Amino acid sequence: MMTPQRVLTGDRESWRLEVLGHVALWDGTAALPLFHKGLALVTYLVLEGRAHHREHLAGLLWETPDALGNLRVELLRLRQRGVGLPPRQPLLALRCRTDLDDWAAVPDDFGGEHEVLEWLSALRGLPLSGLEDLGTTAFREWLDSQRAALLDRIETRLARAASRLAGRGDWASVRLITGRAGALGLNLGLPEPAPAPLPLWSAQQAQWQEVLRRAQQRPQVAFVRGEAGTRRLLLAALAEGGAWQTLKVHADNGGALCQTALKLQLRRLLPAGAAAAVPRRPEPESLVEITELLGAAAAPLLLILHDPPAQDRWWTALVSAALDLPGPLAVVVTAPPSGPALEQEHALGPLLRRVAGPRLHVISLPPLGVEEVSELLRPRLPERTPALDRDVLATRLAQCSEGSLPYLQALLERDPPAPDLRLPAQASEVLLSGLASRTPSERWALAHLAQIYGPVTPELAAALLGEAAQETLALGVRLGLLVPVAASERLSLPDLGARVPDGAATLGFSRELLRCALAATLPAPDRDARRRDLARFLLPTEPSLSLLYARRVGDTALEAQARAALPAQTPLSHAQGPVPQAAAAPACQEHPRREHRTPGGYRVISEGGLVRVLRRGHPGPAPSLVLTFAAQSPRSVTVRADVLPGAPRPDQWPPQFALGLRTGEGPRRVYAAGPVPTHEAEGVSHVFAGTLPVGRWLCLSLAEPLTELSVRAGHVALTLAGAGLTAPPAPPP
């Protein structure tokens, strides 16, 4: 018997096999482009850790008469890629590091949440993804057993780290670990701190309790719409301490992978005897096996399908089959908030109604508004804090967090609570969790696009990604990360009706928080290199944007070239608008809350007789928001600015402003933190009207009725009151 050759050692010690997600073999610098069968062969040999005969390997991967011939072809391809499997030996073996080995060896002495988050980033989904449709039934059974073994190792390692962090009282890091474990369907079995009570969404919590009550008798379907972190925190809080056992998958991972994940979770959850009584079925009958496993469960089950794509119907077949089970069972389908950014979201509601009929319950969780943040603040501030101070702080917190509950929870844990534009680790974890199933190359490409401040054009994408640009843009649109954004957006008051501009719009990131989280996944040197590329590319055509990127990267030579290419600046003018007068705080009114989020990132919230305009933006140029009046056009408006855009800069053109007033067809009189040069944008002349102090109620009065209010700002928090802005309160019954 010949001794099997050891490969991927010695001068190949840098080689590594990735198994914590999509399988890939890296040679130290890049992933080797291996064929699927070759990747399956390498994975099998490395994880087995011992030699196997060629005939065994051929029969495992090919169900054809010429299996040995196919194996010889695959071995030749591997040798051409540098994988030195011997050409004539009957026994084959491979040894190399895996990313699981490296990940498990990381010490537990984490320095904080960001180090924990970086460690967790290796867990990108179900282990051994990408091998589901390869090989024979025997190979698929081996794959299932290997996944289960890998998940056991991951679960043990996560539990050890969480236990040590809990001993240090670092509950924020513990929550990051348990959250990632939950996304993988793992239960660490650790005592966790009781979830903070959520004094929010009382109506939605009542809906949820009704779903569970009915699901005790017959299976029910809950369609939960909201930001990822919000809906997961709410579901965790509501299911905490109950009798319901939870299964969850990211349904956008693809049918084969999700069905595999569900089978693994169910077999780990069920008693050994009950699981063994359900036969394993071949791939075409996976849904039958899952349904049988669901029916074998004795405890009440919550089956959570996160973000399923409307066009992939495997999960609707599963929901339909689950509804025929005797229960108790509740199926939860989650999706992002409805809006123009996500066309597929509109298709999910009707699709679920056709499947579930009267057993469908729709639960919407909007981002937190200022009044809700103010209620969360109340117990965290001194008892005698003035109402104005609390409202100003709540407005600033809602602005910087975009109403994200995980972000707000991180800010509220500080003493005292304060706004912070730096993205907390737990918020970044939630934002990126929906991309865990994407391949490393897809995430890498999207992170490059996230370096763009402002419109994402095909030309800019090509400057960063080359031939991969078109495919990456299409992926971003399909995932809802990129949406069409116009230079000017319009809403009508008081109904917040949107007016879609004519003509094609460029693309932009649907949420600034998500762009920030994605951009930060690139190492700092790579981020600087991409900004330098953008500065050079834009220099001939858009010197103001070129200047922005050159300044961000600290390239003084490029910055000087961009400054020299800027057009001559219009001289600053004196204030030409009504002088702001001190005003009393408007009386609070009983109005139902309404909100509209524009593709350009403005949140316009109508609540309590007030209109709030909030935006957290990137450093680049901002679209304008124009608010028009559908009925009553007032002659005055009461305003309070809590966050103002900075003074005009040459790298942000057209200039930003906090509030613009327009009467008739005249110019926009704009208020800002400092003087704004007279300029024309969107076919309208803009003249400087004056400055606005921060955190004070002011009244602006005009001689003629207002025809529009406008804003153009990266960061802004504006509260407006007055006639025509909100609908009159409904008369008492």
Side-chain angles (χ1 to χ4, degrees), residues 500-701:
V500 181
D502 296 330
T506 56
L507 295 174
F509 276 86
S510 58
R511 294 188 62 195
E512 174 60 9
L513 294 187
L514 183 53
R515 189 200 67 79
C516 289
L518 260 175
T521 61
L522 279 190
D526 289 350
R527 295 199 296 270
D528 286 346
R530 301 294 78 76
R531 291 166 185 160
R532 189 175 283 108
D533 291 341
L534 290 166
R536 290 170 178 155
F537 180 80
L538 291 164
L539 183 59
T541 56
E542 297 188 65
S544 62
L545 275 175
S546 176
L547 176 60
L548 170 64
Y549 293 111
R551 289 178 61 181
R552 300 286 290 190
V553 80
D555 191 319
T556 54
L558 264 175
E559 186 177 345
Q561 294 179 56
R563 285 188 181 279
L566 289 172
Q569 295 295 307
T570 306
L572 299 177
S573 59
H574 297 292
Q576 302 179 40
V579 177
Q581 303 293 324
C588 184
Q589 303 176 31
E590 288 295 328
H591 280 167
R593 177 187 158 191
R594 302 182 64 186
E595 176 171 342
H596 184 95
R597 181 183 176 88
T598 73
Y602 289 99
R603 292 181 67 198
V604 184
I605 307 170
S606 176
E607 58 183 3
L610 305 172
V611 171
R612 319 265 192 180
V613 179
L614 311 175
R615 184 174 189 263
R616 174 189 171 130
H618 49 72
S624 64
L625 172 68
V626 179
L627 303 174
T628 59
F629 297 90
Q632 182 179 5
S633 298
R635 292 175 182 267
S636 66
V637 63
T638 301
V639 59
R640 193 188 78 218
D642 298 323
V643 177
L644 287 175
R649 302 194 324 239
D651 60 7
Q652 290 179 333
W653 192 264
Q656 300 188 14
F657 59 88
L659 178 64
L661 307 178
R662 192 180 187 195
T663 60
E665 297 298 317
R668 285 181 185 149
R669 299 181 176 91
V670 299
Y671 294 83
V676 175
T678 300
H679 64 280
E680 185 168 307
E682 302 141 26
V684 179
S685 176
H686 293 64
V687 298
F688 179 55
T691 59
L692 289 177
V694 175
R696 292 167 51 190
W697 284 108
L698 304 165
C699 182
L700 299 169
S701 300

